[in-house]
Every structure is written in C-alpha cells, then in structure tokens.
Amino acid sequence: MKNLYIAEKPSVAREFAKALKVNGGSKDGYIESEDSIVTWCVGHLVTMSYPEEYDPALKKWSVETLPFLPETFRYEVIDGVSKQFNIVKGLLNREDVSCIYVCTDSGREGEYIYRLVDQMAEVPDTKEKRRVWIDSQTEEEILRGIREAKDLHEYDNLSASAYLRAKEDYLMGINFSRALTLKYSYTVKNYLGKDRCVISVGRVMTCVLGMIVRREREIREFVKTPFYRVIGNVELADGTFEAEWKAVEGSKYFETPLLYKENGFKEEKDARALIEELSHPEPMTALIEKVEKKKENKNAPLLYNLAELQNDCSRLFKISPDETLKIVQELYEKKMVTYPRTDARVLSTAVSKEIYKNISGLKNIPSMRAYAEQILETGSYKGIAKTRYVNDKQITDHYAIIPTGQGLSAFNSTIPQRKYTK
C-alpha cells in the first residue's frame, strides 16, 4: 500500500518529494516511488457553478429572479485544469492508496482547495486522510508536518469556515452585481460613453472601492485655509532659539474668534497686531519658567504579519500589496521565509526555543553575517520566550513571518530580479 501526498502547486509538490526522497519516475501530473505518490493541484481545480447551471433561464439577468439563493450549492471542475483534476481524482481513488496526506497551503484557502477536490472526486471516507500543517517549506519542517499530521476531521471547522466564506462571496457577487447592473447600468454606460456596462460587486472589492472613493471625495472637497503664526527668536546668554507664540488659558487671545488654532490667527492683520504689541515701545523680555528633559524608551515593533509587511513595502518601496504578497510567497516557496498569509505578529514558544537555527542560517547572507554572529555570541536570543515577541495565545494558524535561515542557494537568483529604490 502507498501514501499519497497532495500539494497545492507543482513547485511545493517537488519540495515534498525531495524531503520524502521520492525519486521514482515523474509521471504526467504526479511523482511515484515504491511506497509514495506525490501529486498536486494547480491552485483551484473546482469552482462554484453559475446560476444558469441550476436553470438555463437564469442566464438572463432579471429582477424577477432575484435574489438567487440555492438550497444546495453546485460545483464543477474548472475547464482549463480538468486534465489535472482527473489525474488527481484517479490517484485519490486508487486501490493501493491507503493514506492521503493533505499538503495544500496551511490556511483556510488551502483547506478549501483540497476539500472541493475531495468532494468532486468522491473519495471514500474509508481511506485515512491526514492534514499536514507546516509553517515553512524547509525539509525539516516538511518532515515534522508529516510526522505530526492530524486526522483531517480535526480541521472540519476550518473547512466549514472556508465553505461559508465562499458562499457569502458568491451570493453577494451574484445577487448585488445583477441587481445594481439592472438598475444603474444604463445611466453608467451613458455617462462613460460605453456600449454596455456591468457593475461588479464583491465582499472585499466593494468595501475597498468605497474607502478609495470616500478618500478621493475628501481630497477633492478639501479647502485650503491659510492661518498666520507668530515666530520669534529668543536670545540667551549661550545662543538663541526659535519660539512659537501660543494662546494659553488666561492670556489675552485665548479662545477668541480671531484664532484659527491656538497658535495661529485667521487674519494676517491680527498676527501683525500681536507682533506690534510685543515689540513696542520696547521688545518684551521672555522668561523661561521651566525646561523639561525626558528620556523615552520605545519598544521595537512586533514582527511582521502580512498586512504590516505590505504596509511597509508600500511606504518604503512603493510596491503594491499584491506584488508584496507575490514576492513573499516566492520566498516562502524557496524555503527562505515562513508562511506569509498570517495575521500574527509574534512567535510560538516552540519556535522561540529553536530560533538560534534561523539566526545561524542568516550568517550565510553577507549583509546579515555580523548581526547574526553578534546575537549568537552574546546569547541575546535566549530570553526571547519571556518577551512580548512570543505569545501562543495571539497565534491562530501561523506565527509571524520570519527568515528560516535556509534556502539561501536561491537568494542570488531571486532577489536581483526585482529592483526597487527606497
């Protein structure tokens, strides 16, 4: 009997085959040895059917047929990947396959991708199915994930969540896109000068578009309001410094309608009047009542999750969120960083105990060598488990995105392909 390992992409499947020493012949759509088979999806192989698959009459958009709320949802194999689906289906149902290891990405979307395939392939529940859950694609992590794989049913809640999200997206997109198109497409297409117009609605897309429109309206409606500040040079025995006038409680101008803000006037004439008042008949003497000096300790930021990484890449390098995800996903698949689609900004206790391995690996990057060596020599990493950077309670699926210290053979071939300026 054989074990079948099914990954989400061919590149990931090859990493599993390498870690498992599956050196058998490479077939069309899978790799097989004496005791193991490794195969892959190509992203989604199965999708939800459009309304016309329920009833051909629903192909025509009409208000009378809305809302479309099927009691049982239908699914179908995507035309462009039907060949790979049939290969995977055949492997899943092979009599000599006793255990199926689900190795799709360790997240809700990866879970959904396999469950749809399992559903459409009608894989019997008599076969043992185990879920491989990993945080990076290093050989060590892959083997650990296989060794500690849990029964697939332990992830049923994650699967239910994935199905529910997909149904929500589907129902919102189908119904609201049709409703708004039927109601407003004539007006919009005339305004745009187009022959036809479809108004697309999506759970995320529409919300983001609304944020952009709202911000754009604020920018267009913004009215510049000049105001006038009073700045003075104050002479001291050991030099001068620039001081800004500000109306404080008990002073002449405090909360008067002449002020735009507490440190500025609406009219230039009122600011000049104050200057005259302070300058004549003799310049006033300023009295320093108090000098405060304080030292603040500021914690370094928490580790990167995907959102924070996208924010910084956008701010520093003008890279779009999609491009950032594409790059970090590429680094993940080359074993260089941990799983990118995470919302956690901390590490798990288990990872913190072995973080020296990641740091040791970074010595192989010239620009990081000195830092990594210093950290290892001083042992400053040893107390990380007691810091705010380690918190098991703040981790749902995956911990923060960190370098693995491995996969560095791909470093020179990966990074120079993308050149950005700060």
Side-chain angles (χ1 to χ4, degrees):
M1 301 301 285
K2 296 187 176 184
N3 293 328
L4 173 64
Y5 302 85
I6 176 169
E8 190 167 318
K9 297 178 181 178
S11 59
V12 179
R14 286 192 289 270
E15 295 301 331
F16 272 81
K18 189 185 301 182
L20 291 163
K21 306 295 189 292
V22 179
N23 299 317
S26 180
K27 312 291 185 180
D28 188 7
Y30 64 99
I31 306 169
E32 184 172 5
S33 65
E34 291 183 0
D35 57 0
S36 300
I37 306 169
V38 179
T39 189
W40 53 86
C41 304
V42 280
H44 281 274
L45 297 178
V46 179
T47 189
M48 302 180 77
S49 298
Y50 279 100
E52 53 264 32
E53 297 300 323
Y54 295 78
D55 183 349
L58 293 174
K59 188 171 184 178
K60 181 181 179 180
W61 292 18
S62 171
V63 175
E64 283 72 29
T65 58
L66 296 177
F68 173 67
L69 302 169
E71 292 185 6
T72 302
F73 287 85
R74 296 184 183 181
Y75 301 85
E76 61 189 58
V77 177
I78 300 171
D79 288 339
V81 293
S82 58
K83 178 182 177 181
Q84 185 62 19
F85 171 80
N86 289 324
I87 291 170
V88 172
K89 177 182 178 180
L91 294 171
L92 289 170
N93 288 290
R94 261 174 54 168
E95 291 184 0
D96 61 341
V97 170
S98 60
C99 182
I100 299 167
Y101 283 88
V102 181
C103 309
T104 48
D105 280 1
S106 303
R108 182 166 55 183
E109 195 66 15
E111 190 72 18
Y112 186 56
I113 286 173
Y114 173 75
R115 296 291 182 128
L116 288 178
V117 172
D118 188 282
Q119 172 185 316
M120 290 297 289
E122 299 180 336
V123 184
D125 288 334
T126 53
K127 286 185 182 286
E128 183 181 5
K129 301 171 187 175
R130 305 192 69 79
R131 185 60 159 106
V132 177
W133 198 267
I134 58 177
D135 290 296
S136 71
Q137 290 187 22
T138 63
E139 182 174 320
E140 180 182 5
E141 180 70 359
I142 288 173
L143 295 176
R144 181 205 62 76
I146 294 171
R147 187 172 58 251
E148 300 176 4
K150 298 178 181 178
D151 188 283
L152 184 63
H153 287 300
E154 293 197 30
Y155 294 85
D156 283 350
N157 285 341
L158 182 65
S159 172
S161 171
Y163 271 93
L164 182 61
R165 185 183 69 167
K167 291 173 182 177
E168 178 189 11
D169 289 350
Y170 177 88
L171 291 174
M172 183 173 185
I174 292 292
N175 288 291
F176 282 97
S177 293
R178 293 189 173 204
L180 293 180
T181 298
L182 290 167
K183 185 172 179 61
Y184 296 112
S185 65
Y186 183 80
T187 303
V188 174
K189 75 177 183 178
N190 286 339
Y191 177 79
L192 296 175
K194 302 290 184 180
D195 293 333
R196 60 185 63 186
C197 171
V198 174
I199 300 174
S200 298
V201 177
R203 175 180 59 89
V204 176
M205 174 183 69
T206 303
C207 295
V208 173
L209 178 60
M211 294 168 64
I212 294 171
V213 170
R214 190 179 303 115
R215 181 59 178 164
E216 180 62 24
R217 285 175 176 169
E218 290 175 354
I219 293 171
R220 292 185 181 187
E221 294 171 0
F222 176 75
V223 178
K224 292 183 179 180
T225 305
F227 67 98
Y228 302 88
R229 300 158 58 208
V230 176
I231 306 295
N233 291 319
V234 178
E235 296 183 359
L236 299 175
D238 55 351
T240 63
F241 70 91
E242 190 177 84
E244 179 182 34
W245 175 87
K246 180 179 178 180
V248 298
E249 188 172 359
S251 65
K252 177 179 178 181
Y253 289 97
F254 184 66
E255 292 186 345
T256 68
L258 300 178
L259 297 180
Y260 173 71
K261 295 169 65 176
E262 71 277 0
N263 64 332
F265 291 89
K266 296 177 182 178
E267 302 288 342
E268 182 179 357
K269 63 180 179 63
D270 296 313
R272 292 195 175 280
L274 175 61
I275 293 172
E276 288 292 323
E277 185 178 340
L278 296 175
S279 303
H280 298 287
E282 294 181 1
M284 289 189 172
T285 301
L287 175 65
I288 299 176
E289 294 185 342
K290 182 171 60 175
V291 176
E292 289 186 359
K293 289 184 179 181
K294 57 183 180 180
K295 184 177 180 180
E296 293 185 356
N297 292 324
K298 186 177 180 181
N299 289 323
L302 291 172
L303 306 176
Y304 276 121
N305 59 15
L306 180 57
E308 290 299 320
L309 183 60
Q310 288 171 321
N311 287 340
D312 277 1
C313 285
S314 176
R315 178 174 57 86
L316 296 173
F317 308 114
K318 310 304 179 188
I319 304 175
S320 71
D322 284 346
E323 181 69 4
T324 298
L325 176 56
K326 182 179 179 181
I327 293 170
V328 73
Q329 179 71 26
E330 182 180 345
L331 294 173
Y332 167 67
E333 292 176 8
K334 291 182 181 294
K335 307 181 185 182
M336 297 176 68
V337 301
T338 55
Y339 189 72
R341 292 178 175 85
T342 177
D343 57 4
R345 300 190 64 189
V346 293
L347 300 178
S348 65
T349 302
V351 172
S352 71
K353 292 178 180 178
E354 297 190 343
I355 198 67
Y356 68 92
K357 296 179 180 179
N358 303 60
I359 301 170
S360 297
L362 294 177
K363 291 193 297 182
N364 296 315
I365 300 179
S367 59
M368 299 298 298
R369 183 178 296 123
Y371 300 105
E373 289 177 346
Q374 181 182 9
I375 292 170
L376 292 171
E377 288 174 4
T378 59
S380 58
Y381 65 90
K382 294 180 180 179
I384 190 174
K386 297 179 182 179
T387 68
R388 68 193 191 108
Y389 300 99
V390 176
N391 190 332
D392 293 329
K393 294 180 180 179
Q394 293 181 10
I395 300 172
T396 51
D397 296 336
H398 299 276
Y399 51 81
I401 304 171
I402 59 172
T404 63
Q406 299 187 37
L408 300 179
S409 59
F411 184 76
N412 292 331
S413 63
T414 301
I415 303 303
Q417 295 175 9
R418 309 177 190 278
K419 295 181 179 180
Y420 301 101
T421 56
K422 183 173 178 180

